[in-house]
Structure formats: C-alpha cells, structure tokens
Amino acid sequence: MSYPASRILAATRSELAEPTDAELLARFVNDRDAGAFELLVWRHAGLVLRACKGVLGDHHAAEDAAQAVFLALARQAPTVGAWDR
C-alpha cells in the first residue's frame, strides 16, 4: 500500500512541529530558557527590523530600535498576554 507524500507529511507534521511563540515565551518566563528566547528573536528579528527601518528610515537607528524591542520583550515577558489570563 502506498501513501501520497502529502498524507505522510501531514501525519508526521505534528511530531515535527516547532513550538509556538506562546510556548517559547512561556519556556523563557518559567524556565529562563535562553534558547527559547533566541528562537523567538530568530523568528521575528527580520520583521521587527523592517518595521523599525520603515518608521525610522535609517538602518543603524533601526538596528538599535530592534534590539530595544527584544530587550523590552525579555524584561516584560512575564506580563505579555496577561490580559488573556
């Protein structure tokens, strides 16, 4: 019996799924998991940098602002999403 590749991928996707941003943030907050925070930065750094560059119009200022965004996230991580609880 053969299975189409899409069915095999769908069946294994849940096993290979990466953690959500919420799960990563929870690991950072609860376990101080630096790797989880690093993955969040890796996932979103490009978007944040592009947004900062679009607003500021200067690449160097945008890099500083993007770093500030992630520093603020690290400091305020326990309160992110608190309104949902």
Side-chain angles (χ1 to χ4, degrees):
M1 175 186 277
S2 71
Y3 295 98
S6 60
R7 184 172 176 191
I8 294 169
L9 287 174
T12 59
R13 184 167 287 135
S14 62
E15 296 172 15
L16 302 174
E18 292 188 16
T20 65
D21 292 344
E23 291 168 339
L24 290 171
L25 194 59
R27 284 176 29 195
F28 176 69
V29 169
N30 298 327
D31 305 329
R32 301 309 290 174
D33 184 344
F37 191 79
E38 181 180 356
L39 183 52
L40 278 171
V41 172
W42 183 83
R43 282 182 182 176
H44 300 287
L47 176 67
V48 171
L49 182 59
R50 284 190 301 274
C52 292
K53 194 172 180 182
V55 170
L56 299 171
D58 176 77
H59 182 75
H60 297 291
E63 286 179 342
D64 291 344
Q67 287 180 7
V69 166
F70 289 108
L71 181 58
L73 175 61
R75 288 183 176 163
Q76 298 174 12
T79 64
V80 173
W83 59 89
D84 290 343
R85 295 180 201 140

